[in-house]
Amino acid sequence: MPVISAPHAFNEGQLYVDLQSIFGRSLYLKCEGFNFAGSIKLKAAIEMVEAAERDGLLKPDSILIESSSGNLGVALSMIAASKGHRFLCVTDSRCNLSARLLMEALGSDVHVIADLDANGGFLGARIDYVRALCASDERYVWLSQYTNPGNWGAHYRRTAPEIARQFPRLDVLFVGAGTTGTLMGCARYFREWHRPVRIVAVDTVGSVAFGGKPGRRMIPGLGMSMRPPLLDESYVDEVIQVEEADTIRACHRLARRGFLFGGSTGTVVSGALDWLSRNGTRDLTAVAIAPDLGERYLDTIYQSTWLEDLYGDQVLDAGDPQEVTAGSPLAKSPLRRTPDGHREG
């Protein structure tokens, strides 16, 4: 039994759910929500804060500042409270209420951006606000998860090796794409591994991360309204974009079997099931990464009024993903890569 004195000292990294009995496909789901921050963002948060400490950027009067849609903000709030730092999270109106309340309970300040940026998202406006504060007051220290190499480095050093130890015959890995820290860290690690692993990035429709058209996105976690600075597409074999309605259906299917996961997990699972339905699964070892659990989404994707207002009252009746087949309501239109590396589709 572990005994800890700091909350970030505990992070269960070797828990997987076999989804075969739920979806009829061979897929292992790596659960990253079992830590005191409740998400995979704890790894990047630790890496970035400790690097800032080593580099002498954090002084007694410093104020950590970061733009976050929720999970990283909670992780940084927890670490800041543990280490005695002040922290300001700049988020937007899509951030789940529970995440905002968690940050405030941990002693952090939260600023909510309401204005959309030029791409119809909030990210540009959030970053502009952070930059303005940093320019006005030298006490602010911006970790910048969008450009910080510690973001992907945490997953190169921790997440990917955890998967490799558990699945030495891994064939395909499905990773959700937000800042692309998890994606790039895992992709770089497995590019150097002893056997080829297909890296499939899962994005949400409406995200422009891989060049898609901007559109409405109501579920926080995955997707970007700008191209992620950390992204190097040469490490990615395929990109799949998932409609939010399919994200919701996957989450509810898991919940009906007792597994309450967050929206990002629903997106990754839905995209992975589509890929597996098109590529065959009999002899493949496939793993998908679940970034968080579902408690923070109880008032959104698990709340009937919220669902009906945004997606219509038939959103959960559009198909049962018990076993996804090509052409089913869960099937997507992937951005496939041609042999010369260009995307099509």
Side-chain angles (χ1 to χ4, degrees), residues 40-157:
I40 195 171
K41 290 293 189 176
L42 176 61
K43 291 175 176 176
I46 294 170
E47 191 90 8
M48 293 189 295
V49 170
E50 293 187 346
E53 290 175 333
R54 288 193 304 270
D55 294 342
L57 299 177
L58 290 175
K59 300 181 171 54
D61 63 343
S62 293
I63 305 170
L64 284 169
I65 186 171
E66 187 56 85
S67 159
S68 169
S69 62
N71 281 338
L72 181 66
V74 172
L76 288 172
S77 295
M78 186 192 77
I79 294 170
S82 173
K83 291 176 171 286
H85 301 305
R86 293 177 61 189
F87 172 57
L88 169 62
C89 180
V90 179
T91 188
D92 60 67
S93 55
R94 292 177 307 170
C95 177
N96 295 326
L97 176 61
S98 58
R100 280 183 259 167
L101 294 175
L102 272 169
M103 288 186 270
E104 291 170 351
L106 290 164
S108 297
D109 294 317
V110 180
H111 180 81
V112 180
I113 295 291
D115 297 326
L116 297 174
D117 60 28
N119 287 322
F122 293 97
L123 182 55
R126 287 183 356 211
I127 291 176
D128 287 345
Y129 185 86
V130 171
R131 285 177 172 153
L133 275 184
C134 291
S136 68
D137 191 333
E138 63 182 12
R139 293 177 301 166
Y140 285 104
V141 176
W142 183 21
L143 297 174
S144 185
Q145 62 165 324
Y146 312 105
T147 60
N148 194 318
N151 189 348
W152 68 261
H155 304 289
Y156 179 89
R157 286 182 276 275

Side-chain angles (χ1 to χ4, degrees), residues 7 25 32 46 75 92 101 110 115 127 133 167 171 182 213 220 233 242 245-246 251 275 281 289 291 310:
R25 298 287 178 188
E32 289 282 352
I46 294 170
D92 60 67
L101 294 175
V110 180
D115 297 326
I127 291 176
L133 275 184
F167 297 96
D171 293 301
T182 306
K213 293 181 179 179
E233 290 189 66
V242 176
D246 290 327
C251 285
W275 190 95
T281 63
I289 297 177
L310 292 174

Side-chain angles (χ1 to χ4, degrees), residues 11 62 93 120-121 138 175 192 195 197-198 229 244 257 262 273 279 283 288 296 299 307 316 343:
N11 192 0
S62 293
S93 55
E138 63 182 12
V175 188
E192 302 168 358
R195 57 180 276 117
V197 174
R198 189 165 186 82
E244 287 191 334
R257 297 297 293 271
L273 292 172
N279 290 274
D283 298 317
R296 292 175 193 170
D299 59 347
L307 288 179
L316 297 180
R343 292 194 306 275

Side-chain angles (χ1 to χ4, degrees), residues 7-333:
H8 50 277
F10 172 77
N11 192 0
E12 174 56 60
Q14 292 293 347
L15 179 64
Y16 296 81
V17 176
D18 184 349
L19 298 183
Q20 174 75 49
S21 64
I22 300 176
F23 293 106
R25 298 287 178 188
S26 179
L27 178 64
Y28 297 97
L29 189 62
K30 187 179 193 302
C31 301
E32 289 282 352
F34 290 96
N35 55 61
F36 284 96
S39 81
I40 195 171
K41 290 293 189 176
L42 176 61
K43 291 175 176 176
I46 294 170
E47 191 90 8
M48 293 189 295
V49 170
E50 293 187 346
E53 290 175 333
R54 288 193 304 270
D55 294 342
L57 299 177
L58 290 175
K59 300 181 171 54
D61 63 343
S62 293
I63 305 170
L64 284 169
I65 186 171
E66 187 56 85
S67 159
S68 169
S69 62
N71 281 338
L72 181 66
V74 172
L76 288 172
S77 295
M78 186 192 77
I79 294 170
S82 173
K83 291 176 171 286
H85 301 305
R86 293 177 61 189
F87 172 57
L88 169 62
C89 180
V90 179
T91 188
D92 60 67
S93 55
R94 292 177 307 170
C95 177
N96 295 326
L97 176 61
S98 58
R100 280 183 259 167
L101 294 175
L102 272 169
M103 288 186 270
E104 291 170 351
L106 290 164
S108 297
D109 294 317
V110 180
H111 180 81
V112 180
I113 295 291
D115 297 326
L116 297 174
D117 60 28
N119 287 322
F122 293 97
L123 182 55
R126 287 183 356 211
I127 291 176
D128 287 345
Y129 185 86
V130 171
R131 285 177 172 153
L133 275 184
C134 291
S136 68
D137 191 333
E138 63 182 12
R139 293 177 301 166
Y140 285 104
V141 176
W142 183 21
L143 297 174
S144 185
Q145 62 165 324
Y146 312 105
T147 60
N148 194 318
N151 189 348
W152 68 261
H155 304 289
Y156 179 89
R157 286 182 276 275
R158 297 188 60 183
T159 307
E162 289 167 356
I163 296 170
R165 285 193 295 270
Q166 188 71 26
F167 297 96
R169 303 294 297 174
L170 180 68
D171 293 301
V172 57
L173 179 65
F174 301 95
V175 188
T179 65
T180 68
T182 306
L183 175 64
M184 286 293 96
C186 291
R188 282 186 166 92
Y189 180 90
F190 284 112
R191 177 67 62 87
E192 302 168 358
W193 210 35
H194 65 89
R195 57 180 276 117
V197 174
R198 189 165 186 82
I199 302 296
V200 180
V202 184
D203 198 10
T204 183
V205 170
S207 166
V208 304
F210 294 91
K213 293 181 179 179
R216 184 188 76 167
R217 293 182 292 115
M218 301 305 298
I219 301 173
L222 299 185
M224 293 274 279
S225 56
M226 68 178 189
R227 179 179 173 84
L230 295 177
L231 176 61
D232 183 342
E233 290 189 66
S234 69
Y235 287 94
V236 179
D237 296 299
E238 190 169 341
V239 180
I240 294 178
Q241 288 191 304
V242 176
E243 296 279 358
E244 287 191 334
D246 290 327
T247 291
I248 290 162
R249 285 191 281 271
C251 285
H252 280 257
R253 178 60 188 167
L254 286 162
R256 290 198 296 271
R257 297 297 293 271
F259 293 105
L260 195 72
F261 284 104
S264 298
T265 298
T267 302
V268 173
V269 168
S270 183
L273 292 172
D274 169 56
W275 190 95
L276 293 170
S277 74
R278 292 182 287 101
N279 290 274
T281 63
R282 185 174 301 276
D283 298 317
L284 288 178
T285 298
V287 173
I289 297 177
D292 61 3
L293 301 178
E295 290 91 341
R296 292 175 193 170
Y297 302 81
L298 292 177
D299 59 347
T300 54
I301 62 176
Y302 294 106
Q303 209 278 329
S304 59
T305 302
W306 188 87
L307 288 179
E308 292 171 6
D309 287 347
L310 292 174
Y311 305 98
D313 57 7
Q314 302 299 313
V315 63
L316 297 180
D317 300 326
D320 185 350
Q322 173 66 34
E323 183 171 352
V324 178
T325 57
S328 77
L330 277 185
K332 314 298 173 299
S333 298

